[in-house]
Amino acid sequence: VSQSRYGIATPKQTEILELLNAGLTQIEVSEKLCLAERTIYNHLAMARDKNDCHTTAELLRRYKFWN
């Protein structure tokens, strides 16, 4: 776990958020990374919790603000 442009996030969480920010859906991210949709959901839930965000959209807005 490290400080990234997404706040506190693991490398995998950061990778997922970058793909979502690029316009992919969670389903497309799961296919691209060869992970189950539920795994993507869990990574996002943990990133939201660590950064005090209620939604993934809020987390992505923070990313856009930080960049």
Side-chain angles (χ1 to χ4, degrees):
V1 178
S2 63
Q3 185 75 23
S4 74
R5 67 181 109 189
Y6 295 101
I8 300 169
T10 65
K12 184 59 73 181
Q13 291 166 352
T14 301
E15 181 180 17
I16 291 167
L17 289 166
E18 287 175 351
L19 291 171
L20 290 173
N21 192 55
L24 275 68
T25 65
Q26 288 186 30
I27 294 170
E28 291 168 334
V29 171
S30 71
E31 291 171 355
K32 183 173 181 73
L33 299 179
C34 299
L35 297 171
E37 290 175 45
R38 184 67 189 178
T39 303
I40 301 299
Y41 175 85
N42 288 337
H43 278 295
L44 291 171
M46 288 184 280
R48 287 192 308 268
D49 288 346
K50 284 189 261 183
N51 290 283
D52 294 323
C53 294
H54 297 287
T55 65
T56 301
E58 181 181 358
L59 192 58
L60 288 172
R61 277 193 301 273
R62 286 186 184 187
Y63 163 73
K64 290 176 185 176
F65 176 77
W66 292 331
N67 286 311

